[in-house]
Amino acid sequence: MEKFKNYINGEWVDAVSGKTFLNYNPANLKDIIGEFALSDKADVDNAVKAAKDAFEMWRLVPAPKRGDIMRKVGDIFTRRKVELARIMTREMGKPTFETEGDVQEAIDTAYYAASETRRLFGNTVPSEMNNKMNLSFRTPIGVVGVITAWNFPIAVPSWKILPAIAAGNTVVFKPSKDAPHSGVIFAEIMEEAGVPKGVFNVLLGKGSMGDHIVHHPDVRVVGFTGSTNIGCQIGEVCGRLNKRCSLEMGGKNAQIVMEDANLELALEGVLWGAFGTTGQRCTATSRLILHKDIYDKFIDMLKKRAEKLVIGPGLEKGTEMGPVIHEQSLKNCENYVKIAIEEGGRLVTGGKRCSNPALADGCFFEPTIIADVTDKHTLFNEEVFGPVLAVAKAESFEHAIALQNHCEYGLSGSIYTKDVNRAWVAVREIQTGICYVNAPTIGAEAHMPFGGVKGTGNGHREGGWTAFDIFTEWKTVYFDYSDSLQRAQIDNY
Ligand code: UN1
């Protein structure tokens, strides 16, 4: 069996304890991907020390030179895109056309980070006083801890790692225990691109190890994507220890379809939004809000198409929807279906594990649609992270918006309508960080701010130029060339 190690200070090393864990292919649990280092506090200490030492060198490398390395990172991801996509599919399940998209998002992020290193603008502003100049510029912060989920095993880490390093920080990265191989490849690529030793470190392991990263006094920033439960715990610790943290947590995203919408287009949108990545995106469409005039008709259209989706291993050609991540996730989907029906939901299609014997060794769940869900129902309010879509009826446009906003999360929201005035009102009223008009709730682009309001986040935005706000600190400089003491607010008034 293949063995995979940690990457610390430019070296591939076993966990200090020598312990390992196994990871399995969710499309076939008999396929063991490999044996991975099971890191603990001692490994965190080693990685953070390496990152802290490397920071003293890396922060002084001119930003455009750091950008040159980021460009190479993008080139290598491009070269390895197809091969890497297959590795990702094997460990987390989604079809290869999706994992290729996942890698593409990292490529886009790498080139964006490279170009941004020549554009880390600050402001130069006149002083209140003569012969004095005021300016401000961004400075790197130090060691950044990156903790991510398995569903976008390359793209989401890249959103944090690449801007953090481009800005002059160093990183200790903990990939998900369900996607450790992707973390190993990330390190291979950074090494080949010439990222100096210690600047990027990867620790394989489980959640408790992430806790050591968050608590380590020399980790100054934590970038987290994952469940609301864990994210809130991280936020508490970081608040107490006065660390910056960026949290990207749950979602319960809704697509509204109004009576005047292009229904075929809205249908394509919801199929992709709800069942793409087997519903396992933080941006996934998990609520569909249909105007009453098209409610029955649209559910019919959706049922027919959902039942035709090709389900299978992501490595097989033609597969449209892969497995969920593990057995626990299957049970979770089953449980939500059971609760939804008990509470008065109507099962339109799906609702159970796939019965196809060819898929018996994997974690396959049918695309599931439950109609007549109301805002009182559990399924309307809780994130499932699987292919289970709740459908609710809206009496009017205002009701549709109210339903959309009846949600403790606020990542992504969508509306399908041809009425341009209504579309703009929706953009104004929908309480999410990302809003789509005539497009599904998934599909954010790497150069735009990404993140949510309410229970989804803590105010930061990854992606685009806003990622640099997470990973830099402002320094304000007053440069007095008057050769005299000029007392602000006193001598000039
Ligand atoms: C996630 O699910 O954590 O917008 C990220 C999207 C993708 C990113 C999803 N580009 O759906």
Side-chain angles (χ1 to χ4, degrees):
M1 192 185 326
E2 246 194 297
K3 277 196 164 183
F4 298 93
K5 300 185 180 203
N6 288 332
Y7 182 70
I8 301 176
N9 208 21
E11 312 261 323
W12 295 93
V13 291
D14 289 322
V16 173
S17 69
K19 287 188 187 156
T20 60
F21 68 102
L22 301 180
N23 191 31
Y24 302 84
N25 176 349
N28 175 7
L29 296 174
K30 291 185 175 145
D31 175 25
I32 303 175
I33 289 162
E35 197 178 334
F36 296 86
L38 181 64
S39 313
D40 210 332
K41 187 170 180 310
D43 308 284
V44 172
D45 289 344
N46 289 344
V48 174
K49 179 171 186 325
K52 192 182 179 202
D53 292 348
F55 177 64
E56 289 310 315
M57 169 279 299
W58 187 240
R59 69 187 174 89
L60 298 177
V61 172
K65 290 267 175 269
R66 300 194 294 251
D68 290 344
I69 297 180
M70 291 303 107
R71 201 168 302 107
K72 282 196 196 125
V73 169
D75 292 345
I76 301 167
F77 269 121
T78 305
R79 193 190 78 220
R80 295 189 66 178
K81 179 172 167 178
V82 172
E83 168 225 340
L84 174 50
R86 294 187 70 81
I87 289 171
M88 293 155 73
T89 294
R90 184 175 167 216
E91 73 174 351
M92 59 66 64
K94 65 188 176 185
T96 49
F97 70 88
E98 287 201 38
T99 41
E100 284 178 25
D102 192 318
V103 179
Q104 186 59 44
E105 215 162 321
I107 295 168
D108 297 340
T109 302
Y111 292 139
Y112 187 89
S115 65
E116 207 59 11
T117 57
R118 288 186 183 267
R119 221 174 19 226
L120 290 171
F121 298 135
N123 293 329
T124 309
V125 185
S127 163
E128 292 174 6
M129 282 162 287
N130 208 0
N131 293 328
K132 190 177 171 194
M133 184 54 81
N134 300 348
L135 46 145
S136 61
F137 51 87
R138 293 181 184 274
T139 56
I141 305 177
V143 180
V144 176
V146 171
I147 300 172
T148 53
W150 47 267
N151 63 333
F152 275 79
I154 292 291
V156 168
S158 82
W159 293 353
K160 306 174 202 296
I161 293 164
L162 301 181
I165 288 183
N169 304 283
T170 56
V171 167
V172 174
F173 170 40
K174 178 202 166 292
S176 162
K177 70 170 179 19
D178 296 310
H181 197 178
S182 299
V184 168
I185 306 282
F186 211 120
E188 283 177 18
I189 288 175
M190 298 293 266
E191 184 175 46
E192 185 186 340
V195 173
K197 68 185 176 85
V199 170
F200 180 62
N201 306 275
V202 177
L203 293 176
L204 309 174
K206 302 199 175 174
S208 54
M209 183 265 288
D211 212 36
H212 293 303
I213 295 178
V214 173
H215 277 89
H216 197 296
D218 290 329
V219 171
R220 296 307 315 146
V221 185
V222 176
F224 170 80
T225 296
S227 72
T228 301
N229 182 21
I230 303 289
C232 291
Q233 290 174 29
I234 291 177
E236 276 183 43
V237 174
C238 289
R240 191 155 31 83
L241 301 180
N242 194 24
K243 299 180 184 209
R244 185 178 296 194
C245 74
S246 153
L247 304 173
E248 214 273 280
M249 304 177 284
K252 188 73 196 174
N253 315 289
Q255 172 178 322
I256 297 172
V257 183
M258 294 303 298
E259 77 284 11
D260 66 339
N262 175 341
L263 296 188
E264 286 298 332
L265 183 70
L267 179 63
E268 294 307 318
V270 68
L271 281 165
W272 176 226
F275 304 124
T277 325
T278 323
Q280 302 170 111
R281 294 194 189 206
C282 50
T283 50
T285 309
S286 54
R287 297 179 297 148
L288 177 65
I289 298 166
L290 300 174
H291 188 273
K292 65 174 179 352
D293 293 354
I294 48 112
Y295 186 76
D296 293 327
K297 178 180 175 188
F298 196 86
I299 290 174
D300 251 21
M301 290 164 68
L302 181 58
K303 172 177 162 41
K304 284 196 189 98
R305 283 294 307 278
E307 286 173 354
K308 287 209 178 80
L309 283 173
V310 181
I311 304 161
L315 288 173
E316 255 168 42
K317 241 192 153 77
T319 292
E320 290 176 299
M321 194 180 99
V324 294
I325 189 67
H326 41 42
E327 171 66 26
Q328 189 51 41
S329 173
L330 280 175
K331 288 200 177 116
N332 186 49
C333 292
E334 284 173 334
N335 192 37
Y336 272 111
V337 169
K338 184 168 162 275
I339 294 171
I341 293 169
E342 277 166 13
E343 289 179 351
R346 169 168 55 97
L347 184 66
V348 174
T349 186
K352 55 184 192 324
R353 296 170 190 235
C354 289
S355 50
N356 179 353
L359 303 179
D361 290 330
C363 306
F364 292 92
F365 201 78
E366 292 178 345
T368 298
I369 299 165
I370 298 183
D372 304 346
V373 177
T374 76
D375 55 7
K376 308 275 180 302
H377 292 176
T378 307
L379 192 65
F380 194 86
N381 294 293
E382 292 185 12
E383 183 175 40
V384 179
F385 226 66
V388 181
L389 177 68
V391 187
K393 189 190 282 186
E395 299 299 324
S396 63
F397 172 67
E398 290 71 23
H399 186 213
I401 298 288
L403 285 172
Q404 165 77 259
N405 290 340
H406 180 98
C407 184
E408 67 173 284
Y409 300 110
L411 181 55
S412 172
S414 145
I415 181 163
Y416 282 74
T417 178
K418 283 188 184 154
D419 180 334
V420 70
N421 295 351
R422 251 181 354 190
W424 274 112
V425 174
V427 166
R428 188 187 66 206
E429 294 301 324
I430 289 177
Q431 296 164 357
T432 55
I434 306 169
C435 185
Y436 290 94
V437 177
N438 294 324
T441 62
I442 68 176
E445 300 174 25
H447 61 292
M448 296 299 287
F450 182 96
V453 302
K454 301 200 280 191
T456 294
N458 65 338
H460 289 287
R461 292 290 180 273
E462 306 186 297
W465 59 97
T466 44
F468 290 84
D469 294 334
I470 304 171
F471 301 115
T472 59
E473 200 82 78
W474 284 101
K475 178 166 280 181
T476 305
V477 179
Y478 297 98
F479 200 109
D480 191 322
Y481 53 100
S482 69
D483 219 19
S484 60
L485 173 67
Q486 303 197 77
R487 295 176 300 177
Q489 296 95 34
I490 297 172
D491 291 333
N492 49 337
Y493 287 101

